[in-house]
Amino acid sequence: MENQEELEAKILEIVREQFKKDGGANGVNFGSFDHFLNMSLEDRNDFLLRMAKEKKIAVFNSLNSRRITMPK
């Protein structure tokens, strides 16, 4: 498994690209990272929520799901 810093860098890259496209309005869903995280849903969610707690990403509730964007 890749180290934590590399995983965070990949996540931030995906989120930043989407942020550039939509200005943070839409974000990306939690499943957008499953192809390289290879974690259980609980572990993935804990990992992403820890990043949000550290203010590296922001999690918000859209109409149908929780989504991730850059902190404003």
Side-chain angles (χ1 to χ4, degrees), residues 38-55:
N38 297 321
M39 297 178 178
S40 69
L41 291 179
E42 278 185 13
D43 291 340
R44 178 203 65 189
N45 291 348
D46 290 343
F47 185 76
L48 294 172
L49 292 175
R50 182 192 51 75
M51 286 183 68
K53 194 176 202 180
E54 294 172 357
K55 307 274 190 227

Side-chain angles (χ1 to χ4, degrees), residues 17-29:
E17 286 301 314
Q18 185 62 35
F19 190 83
K20 287 178 189 176
K21 290 179 186 176
D22 64 23
N26 296 327
V28 295
N29 65 30

Side-chain angles (χ1 to χ4, degrees), residues 15-16 29 35 61 66 70 72:
V15 175
R16 278 190 196 112
N29 65 30
H35 65 280
N61 292 320
R66 292 190 304 176
M70 296 301 295
K72 294 186 180 182

